[in-house]
Amino acid sequence: MKKTRKPTAKILKRLVLRTSAKSGGSKGSKSGTKVLTTGVLNTAVGQTAAHIEVANFSATTSAEVTVQVYDWNSGSPVILLSENVTLPPLSHTAISQDVEPFHYEVRIIYLRNDNVIANTFAINGDTSTVPGLTFNQDQLMRISSRKRK
């Protein structure tokens, strides 16, 4: 497992600016990225990890996806995992990150026009799904990283 450090204001600003630069402008834009989140969750009884499944349903185009998991115990986000994945057409990948016991968030970032579906689950030490913290794509919230005026 990678060591984590508490983000400084400079690191958080850089993360927001990097995500903003990828977002490509207004909501009506055809280009840019889509950022989906579970929101901040508390681990379920018996849960040891967050498990994320990401699939590319395009028959012809690869998809670039970033999967992130944040620790929110301190009240501010600390990155536990930030993994960039290239998914070939009609493929999927699975990623797991230890999250016990604390508050955590899963984010999925990908090009808005890609045909990507992501689901996230709570799993136990035997990698079995733990009831209660399953989020399918349509249950993930879309967030904007643009600065407010």
Side-chain angles (χ1 to χ4, degrees), residues 5-113:
R5 61 186 169 135
K6 188 168 181 164
T8 63
K10 187 176 182 180
I11 290 171
L12 288 173
K13 183 177 180 183
R14 202 170 33 213
L15 177 65
V16 169
L17 290 175
R18 188 177 320 137
T19 306
S20 294
K22 289 181 182 178
S23 69
S26 69
K27 287 185 178 182
S29 172
K30 296 284 185 193
S31 63
T33 59
K34 190 171 194 176
V35 181
L36 300 177
T37 182
T38 58
V40 179
L41 306 171
N42 192 14
T43 55
V45 174
Q47 178 180 1
T48 59
H51 182 77
I52 303 100
E53 300 268 346
V54 183
N56 178 8
F57 285 91
S58 172
T60 59
T61 307
S62 292
E64 300 291 330
V65 180
T66 300
V67 176
Q68 297 177 329
V69 179
Y70 291 86
D71 175 350
W72 278 89
N73 264 359
S74 68
S76 297
V78 176
I79 296 175
L80 294 174
L81 171 80
S82 185
E83 189 167 325
N84 297 317
V85 179
T86 300
L87 292 171
L90 299 174
S91 68
H92 102 287
T93 192
I95 298 169
S96 293
Q97 173 62 46
D98 291 344
V99 293
E100 70 170 331
F102 56 73
H103 294 89
Y104 71 97
E105 172 195 7
V106 174
R107 287 187 192 180
I108 313 295
I109 304 166
Y110 59 96
L111 289 177
R112 207 178 307 184
N113 58 353

